[in-house]
Amino acid sequence: MTRLQETLRTFAGLLAAEQPVNAGEADAAIWAYLASFEGLDAQAEALGVLERAVAGLDAGSAFMPILLDTLERHRARLSEPSA
């Protein structure tokens, strides 16, 4: 199973959970996924792949807005100029 598939499986579990979940688990999964790519450009590209893949998941889940917000925060972080 690829890192992308593992990450999507984690997200699918969070989206299917009956109890509310916080963004921490999704955030950890995103960090783990992105850590396998070296450099900001590669991570930004990988995040784009992940964002497109998430679009095919359960959009009706109450957790989806939290997941999308978490992905957006990572997008913003990768877009920040380096110091």
Side-chain angles (χ1 to χ4, degrees):
M1 182 178 302
T2 68
R3 176 63 78 180
L4 177 61
Q5 291 169 325
E6 291 174 21
T7 305
L8 292 174
R9 178 180 271 179
T10 298
F11 291 166
L14 294 171
L15 291 166
E18 292 182 19
Q19 298 297 320
V21 263
N22 70 35
E25 194 170 343
D27 193 52
I30 295 167
W31 275 109
Y33 171 71
L34 293 178
S36 63
F37 297 90
E38 191 167 325
L40 292 178
D41 289 339
Q43 288 184 354
E45 185 177 327
L47 183 61
V49 170
L50 184 59
E51 289 168 329
R52 287 187 294 280
V54 163
L57 297 177
D58 181 8
S61 169
F63 184 69
M64 183 57 91
I66 295 168
L67 176 56
L68 294 175
D69 182 60
T70 304
L71 289 165
E72 180 54 37
R73 282 188 281 116
H74 280 275
R75 170 70 54 207
R77 177 186 60 80
L78 290 171
S79 300
E80 290 176 358
S82 299

